[in-house]
Amino acid sequence: MSDQIKFIVDNLNKEPFRKNYNLITFDSLEPMQLLQVLSDVLAEIDPKQVVDIREEMPEQTAKRMLSLLGILKYKPPGNATDMSNFRQGLVIGSKPVIYPVLHWLLQRTNELKKRAYLARFLIKLEVPSEFLQDETVADTNKQYEDLMEAFKTLHKECEQLKTSGFSTAEIRRDISAMEEEKDQLIKRVERLKKRVETVQNHQRMLKIARQLRVEKEREEFLAQQKQEQKNQLFHAVQRLQRIQNQLKSMRHAAADAKPESLMKRLEEEIKFNSYMVTEKFPKELENKKKELHFLQKVVSEPAMGHSDLLELESKINEINTQISQLIEKKMMRNEPIEGKLSLYRQQASIISRKKEAKAEELQEAKEKLANLEREVSAKTNQTREFDGTEVLKGDERTEELLKQRHENIQHQLQAIEEKKGISGYSYTQEELERVSALKSEVDEVKGRTLDDMSEMVKKLNSLVSEKKSALAPVIKELRQLRQKCQELTQECDEKKSQYDSCAAGLESNRSKLEQEVRGLREECLQDESRYHYTNCMIKNLEVQLCRATDEMKAYVSSDQQEKRKAIREQYTKNIAEQENLGKKLREKQKAVRESHGPNMKQVKMWRDFEQLMECKKQCFLKQQSQTSIGQVIQEGGEDRLIL
């Protein structure tokens, strides 16, 4: 508690409060003074809370402070019973209630200022549904909601501009640099105009230059349109080839397939598609809707601070502990029926997860197959463009079958040669034929090598020239695009500088408007307090005037009974009574003064007599307790002691 009070006192002594407290003076504040301090802190957060609580009813003060604390999301510690105690403590100015509130407010003043500012525009006024039946009320409510959404958008843009890193000095430097560039460009244009005016037929030349610029723009537009048409033609050719490949594959599949296999495959596809439509896609759609609803809810809520995040984390931890406790209770019960049901549920969830996983794998496999088919069709087209031949598929290749047949024939031939006693004859014959064939082929290859090389060189040269001719318009277009890119970059820089200058102007206007609004609000509050003070003075004067009128009527009345009720008569009577009383007291004072000397002398004599009697008493007591020391003689009404 001492650290809390020290923190509060330190912050109250700083700007803008400047209370000049210490720990002792702050702790000795009266409840009314403590409530005034809390009201001043709330007024710093929300200027509408500037109120002198001496002029306000306690219930109104408590209601005002509770409503603002609710807007600022202050949560008192404890449950509902503690909440009622909190309200009561706030009404009476209890220190255990006020100190935590002040500590919480002074810890996050800037954040709460922003929250209070946003609350003035974002707390929606609830209009009853029966009032919304009126078209005027409904339209006004709709405009109100639209303005609220517009305020949200503008506030977000303003915050983004504040955090974007643009400083006022940099913006001013940019503005001054742009103004200098503008002046230079204006001077340059003026010089060019003067130079052009001296040339003969400058108007005609300007007209021709304008027509040239228009024709260049038209040429660029036509080139762009031509490129778009080329792209469309290329896409159309690719689509035609893809459709032809699909048609060919479908014909081939239909030629080799059986009705049973087709029906089975169609049934599998129907089952898969029905599962995707009835189970998988609705679940994914529902999850996306929930996620979208959650994101919209997060966006609609105001910005959360560090304290709000800590509070949410604490709630999450509490809920997790509650869930773990419920699970432990459920496990402690150990009901057999529930255990079987949970087992079945677990198996069903496992099966559903496996089903979803397999469906996703099947979907990925289909997508992969489609991609591979597209790649195969692309490679086939490339092969057809290069050598003009078709690539055979796997089922069209019979080389392996021929090899197997050849091996079988060779085995039969070897068996026949062994029976005849000439084994190896066919192998030797084949080797001789193969060597002679290789020799002839080598001779032919040697003769064709030079021709092939020359033809290859010609083909390469022609291919290079074709590629160059094909790339020439592309290079030309690339140059134009580069030039256009430079122009667009320059235009983008200009627009950006315009945007920066506009944003700087808007920021300065916004700050001026905020200052004006703040000054007008302060004037409004001062006028309002002056109005209430004047109204109270008028009421007091009216009461005094009414009393004076009644007094005048009673004073001039002919009725003696009514006249006696007049304040003047009552005051006159009281004055007379007081004068009589004063006269009596003065007479009494005079008598006391006159009898003061004799009375004091008599008092002294009585004191001496009292001392004498006390002495006699002491002597008598000593005489009774001790032997006689002297003799007491009584003569003439006096007692004398003779030793």
Side-chain angles (χ1 to χ4, degrees):
M1 180 64 76
S2 60
D3 295 336
Q4 191 180 59
I5 297 174
K6 186 177 179 182
F7 176 79
I8 295 170
V9 171
D10 291 339
N11 282 273
L12 289 177
N13 291 334
K14 296 177 182 177
E15 292 288 340
F17 304 106
R18 292 183 293 178
K19 294 293 185 179
N20 197 15
Y21 288 142
N22 55 33
L23 295 177
I24 298 173
T25 56
F26 180 74
D27 194 52
S28 61
L29 290 176
E30 297 294 330
M32 188 66 70
Q33 296 173 341
L34 198 59
L35 284 173
Q36 185 63 53
V37 171
L38 178 59
S39 180
D40 294 340
V41 175
L42 292 175
E44 178 63 25
I45 294 171
D46 188 3
K48 293 195 298 183
Q49 304 293 323
V50 179
V51 177
D52 189 355
I53 62 173
R54 293 175 296 181
E55 300 176 359
E56 191 178 29
M57 297 296 292
E59 293 80 6
Q60 294 178 354
T61 303
K63 184 178 180 181
R64 175 173 59 84
M65 291 181 178
L66 284 171
S67 62
L68 182 57
L69 289 174
I71 292 171
L72 299 178
K73 294 184 179 180
Y74 175 74
K75 293 185 178 180
N79 49 19
T81 307
D82 296 332
M83 187 65 189
S84 61
N85 295 332
F86 174 77
R87 292 194 185 95
Q88 186 178 1
L90 193 63
V91 172
I92 64 176
S94 177
K95 292 181 181 179
V97 174
I98 302 296
Y99 285 174
V101 178
L102 285 173
H103 185 264
W104 186 80
L105 292 174
L106 294 172
Q107 271 185 331
R108 46 183 67 82
T109 305
N110 295 327
E111 179 185 350
L112 296 178
K113 281 183 181 179
K114 182 178 178 182
R115 189 174 293 175
Y117 170 74
L118 293 176
R120 289 163 51 195
F121 303 100
L122 297 181
I123 293 179
K124 188 175 180 182
L125 298 175
E126 296 296 335
V127 182
S129 58
E130 57 268 17
F131 292 156
L132 291 175
Q133 302 298 326
D134 189 1
E135 293 182 358
T136 306
V137 177
D139 294 338
T140 306
N141 189 38
K142 183 67 169 58
Q143 292 177 3
Y144 168 69
E145 292 177 352
D146 294 340
L147 289 173
M148 188 180 290
E149 294 297 327
F151 173 78
K152 289 180 182 178
T153 305
L154 291 174
H155 180 70
K156 288 180 181 177
E157 292 178 357
C158 180
E159 291 295 326
Q160 289 175 358
L161 289 174
K162 285 181 179 179
T163 57
S164 60
F166 293 109
S167 62
T168 309
E170 292 179 357
I171 293 172
R172 287 178 179 173
R173 285 198 297 270
D174 294 339
I175 291 172
S176 61
M178 286 189 288
E179 288 178 353
E180 292 177 357
E181 290 178 0
K182 181 181 177 182
D183 296 336
Q184 292 177 2
L185 289 173
I186 291 171
K187 292 178 181 178
R188 186 177 179 185
V189 169
E190 292 295 333
R191 288 198 300 269
L192 290 174
K193 282 184 179 180
K194 291 179 181 178
R195 289 176 60 186
V196 170
E197 287 175 356
T198 58
V199 179
Q200 296 180 356
N201 299 326
H202 65 277
Q203 295 291 339
R204 184 168 174 272
M205 294 175 69
L206 289 173
K207 185 177 179 181
I208 293 170
R210 194 177 299 111
Q211 291 178 356
L212 177 62
R213 179 174 56 80
V214 172
E215 291 298 328
K216 283 185 177 180
E217 291 178 354
R218 186 182 175 190
E219 182 182 3
E220 291 178 357
F221 175 73
L222 291 174
Q224 185 178 3
Q225 194 173 9
K226 181 181 178 182
Q227 185 63 32
E228 291 177 355
Q229 290 179 357
K230 283 183 178 180
N231 294 331
Q232 291 177 1
L233 179 62
F234 178 71
H235 291 310
V237 171
Q238 284 187 342
R239 185 180 177 187
L240 178 61
Q241 291 177 357
R242 186 167 58 251
I243 292 172
Q244 287 177 353
N245 293 329
Q246 291 178 358
L247 179 61
K248 187 175 180 181
S249 61
M250 290 174 67
R251 285 177 178 175
H252 183 72
D256 295 339
K258 294 181 180 179
E260 293 82 3
S261 61
L262 288 174
M263 289 298 293
K264 187 175 180 181
R265 188 168 61 191
L266 288 174
E267 287 177 357
E268 290 177 355
E269 290 182 357
I270 290 170
K271 288 180 181 179
F272 174 73
N273 292 329
S274 61
Y275 167 73
M276 296 292 287
V277 171
T278 57
E279 295 184 15
K280 185 174 176 60
F281 289 158
K283 288 181 181 178
E284 292 180 355
L285 182 62
E286 187 68 24
N287 293 330
K288 294 294 182 183
K289 286 181 178 179
K290 289 180 180 178
E291 186 176 358
L292 178 62
H293 178 69
F294 176 73
L295 293 175
Q296 289 176 350
K297 186 176 179 182
V298 170
V299 170
S300 62
E301 290 181 354
M304 299 178 68
H306 184 66
S307 60
D308 297 330
L309 293 175
L310 293 176
E311 185 177 355
L312 288 175
E313 287 180 357
S314 63
K315 287 183 179 179
I316 290 169
N317 293 328
E318 290 177 0
I319 292 171
N320 289 329
T321 54
Q322 291 177 4
I323 291 170
S324 61
Q325 290 175 1
L326 291 174
I327 292 171
E328 290 177 359
K329 289 180 180 179
K330 187 176 180 182
M331 292 175 65
M332 289 174 67
R333 280 192 226 155
N334 198 11
E335 296 180 0
I337 298 174
E338 186 67 24
K340 291 181 180 179
L341 291 175
S342 63
L343 181 61
Y344 293 147
R345 290 196 193 100
Q346 187 177 4
Q347 291 178 356
S349 63
I350 291 170
I351 292 170
S352 63
R353 283 198 296 270
K354 286 183 178 180
K355 191 175 181 181
E356 291 176 358
K358 293 299 180 184
E360 291 177 357
E361 289 179 1
L362 181 59
Q363 187 70 21
E364 291 176 358
K366 284 188 175 182
E367 292 177 357
K368 190 174 181 181
L369 179 61
N371 294 328
L372 291 174
E373 287 179 351
R374 285 195 293 270
E375 290 179 1
V376 168
S377 62
K379 297 294 183 183
T380 304
N381 294 330
Q382 291 178 2
T383 307
R384 189 185 298 113
E385 289 176 0
F386 281 120
D387 55 4
T389 59
E390 292 273 347
V391 178
L392 298 177
K393 295 183 179 180
D395 51 0
E396 295 176 355
R397 293 172 186 148
T398 58
E399 184 179 358
E400 294 180 357
L401 297 175
L402 293 174
K403 284 182 178 180
Q404 291 179 0
R405 188 174 179 185
H406 177 69
E407 289 177 357
N408 294 329
I409 293 171
Q410 288 292 331
H411 288 308
Q412 293 177 2
L413 182 60
Q414 288 177 3
I416 293 170
E417 286 177 354
E418 288 178 356
K419 287 181 180 179
K420 299 295 184 178
I422 53 171
S423 59
Y425 174 77
S426 60
Y427 178 74
T428 304
Q429 186 67 27
E430 287 178 358
E431 286 292 326
L432 291 173
E433 291 176 357
R434 187 172 64 80
V435 170
S436 61
L438 286 173
K439 184 176 180 300
S440 61
E441 287 177 0
V442 168
D443 294 335
E444 291 177 0
V445 168
K446 286 180 180 179
R448 289 198 304 269
T449 301
L450 296 174
D451 297 334
D452 292 339
M453 290 177 69
S454 61
E455 289 179 1
M456 188 179 294
V457 170
K458 290 179 181 179
K459 285 182 180 180
L460 289 173
N461 291 328
S462 62
L463 185 61
V464 169
S465 61
E466 289 176 0
K467 294 294 182 182
K468 285 183 179 179
S469 61
L471 289 174
V474 177
I475 294 171
K476 185 178 180 180
E477 292 176 0
L478 181 61
R479 290 173 182 171
Q480 294 176 358
L481 290 174
R482 283 178 179 172
Q483 185 178 1
K484 191 173 181 180
C485 179
Q486 292 177 357
E487 294 175 357
L488 290 174
T489 304
Q490 185 177 1
E491 186 178 0
C492 178
D493 295 336
E494 293 176 356
K495 297 293 184 183
K496 186 178 179 182
S497 62
Q498 293 176 3
Y499 168 77
D500 295 338
S501 61
C502 181
L506 291 174
E507 179 67 22
S508 61
N509 292 332
R510 186 184 66 82
S511 61
K512 291 179 182 178
L513 290 174
E514 285 182 353
Q515 291 177 358
E516 292 178 0
V517 169
R518 194 179 297 111
L520 292 173
R521 281 178 180 161
E522 291 177 356
E523 291 178 1
C524 181
L525 291 172
Q526 292 175 1
D527 293 339
E528 187 176 355
S529 62
R530 195 179 298 113
Y531 164 75
H532 289 302
Y533 176 73
T534 307
N535 195 11
C536 292
M537 294 297 293
I538 290 170
K539 288 182 179 179
N540 291 331
L541 292 173
E542 288 177 354
V543 172
Q544 293 177 3
L545 181 62
C546 183
R547 292 175 64 185
T549 305
D550 295 338
E551 176 66 19
M552 196 67 187
K553 287 180 181 179
Y555 181 70
V556 299
S557 178
S558 59
D559 189 3
Q560 295 296 326
Q561 189 69 24
E562 187 70 24
K563 197 170 184 179
R564 289 192 191 96
K565 294 180 180 179
I567 297 174
R568 183 173 181 178
E569 293 294 332
Q570 293 178 5
Y571 280 162
T572 305
K573 184 179 178 182
N574 290 334
I575 290 169
E577 291 177 355
Q578 294 297 323
E579 286 179 351
N580 293 330
L581 182 60
K583 187 177 180 181
K584 291 178 181 180
L585 290 173
R586 283 193 296 272
E587 292 176 354
K588 190 175 180 180
Q589 183 181 9
K590 184 178 179 182
V592 169
R593 284 178 179 174
E594 290 176 354
S595 62
H596 180 263
N599 289 335
M600 291 301 293
K601 187 176 180 181
Q602 189 176 1
V603 168
K604 186 175 181 301
M605 291 172 67
W606 277 105
R607 285 177 181 170
D608 293 340
F609 178 72
E610 184 180 2
Q611 290 178 0
L612 182 60
M613 295 302 292
E614 183 69 25
C615 183
K616 285 183 178 183
K617 179 182 176 182
Q618 295 294 330
C619 291
F620 179 75
L621 292 174
K622 287 181 179 180
Q623 186 179 3
Q624 292 291 331
S625 60
Q626 297 177 359
T627 59
S628 179
I629 298 173
Q631 184 179 1
V632 178
I633 301 172
Q634 295 181 354
E635 291 180 356
E638 294 180 356
D639 295 336
R640 289 184 297 171
L641 178 63
I642 299 173
L643 300 174

